[in-house]
Amino acid sequence: MDRLVKSIGMQIRLLRKSKNLSQEELAFRAEVHPTYIGQVERGEKNLTISSLYQITNALEVSLDDFFSVIEPNQNSQENLPYQLIIKLLQDVSITDQEKLYKIIKEIVEFKKPS
């Protein structure tokens, strides 16, 4: 369960930063306390479904889209490559994230068998 809570927090942080929102701005939009957002993002709080719904609405993301990148697999390793990439991108501007995405996409397409 710990891994899932951390993955959810990481995804919230990534989405918040991609929308250039502070924790305070997101908290205001989601009608929760700013401290709560910080605790959730760090994986310290196990949020309720209602709170998650409020936060994803504030981020203008559907729950379906939100969970499409979170894969809670009990047998997986703690730091899967995509999680490490997400951690790296958290402090990068959205413009730079878009550039890096294009580079990664080119590499993946280059590596695909013909």
Side-chain angles (χ1 to χ4, degrees):
M1 184 60 88
D2 238 13
R3 188 179 164 282
L4 177 59
V5 172
K6 287 182 183 196
S7 293
I8 288 171
M10 191 184 322
Q11 178 68 357
I12 289 171
R13 176 177 284 148
L14 182 65
L15 289 168
R16 176 181 60 77
K17 287 189 173 195
S18 75
K19 296 183 181 285
N20 294 317
L21 295 173
S22 67
Q23 288 181 344
E24 292 77 16
E25 290 169 316
L26 176 57
F28 178 77
R29 291 181 182 192
E31 300 179 359
V32 298
H33 197 278
T35 304
Y36 183 72
I37 295 293
Q39 292 170 328
V40 167
E41 287 184 356
R42 291 188 299 275
E44 297 170 358
K45 280 280 187 194
N46 188 358
L47 65 164
T48 65
I49 294 170
S50 299
S51 295
L52 179 59
Y53 182 73
Q54 286 174 251
I55 292 169
T56 56
N57 273 348
L59 291 167
E60 300 174 334
V61 174
S62 71
L63 285 172
D64 186 45
D65 288 341
F66 181 82
F67 280 108
S68 69
V69 296
I70 297 175
E71 301 170 332
N73 184 344
Q74 298 299 328
N75 298 324
S76 65
Q77 298 167 335
E78 181 68 23
N79 290 312
L80 293 172
Y82 81 90
Q83 290 175 318
L84 296 172
I85 291 169
I86 289 171
K87 285 179 185 178
L88 285 173
L89 293 176
Q90 286 179 350
D91 295 323
V92 176
S93 72
I94 190 69
T95 304
D96 288 342
Q97 286 180 24
E98 290 168 350
K99 290 175 186 174
L100 289 167
Y101 168 76
K102 289 176 183 176
I103 292 169
I104 292 170
K105 184 178 176 187
E106 288 292 321
I107 292 170
V108 168
E109 290 189 11
F110 175 76
K111 297 293 269 175
K112 283 183 182 176
S114 314

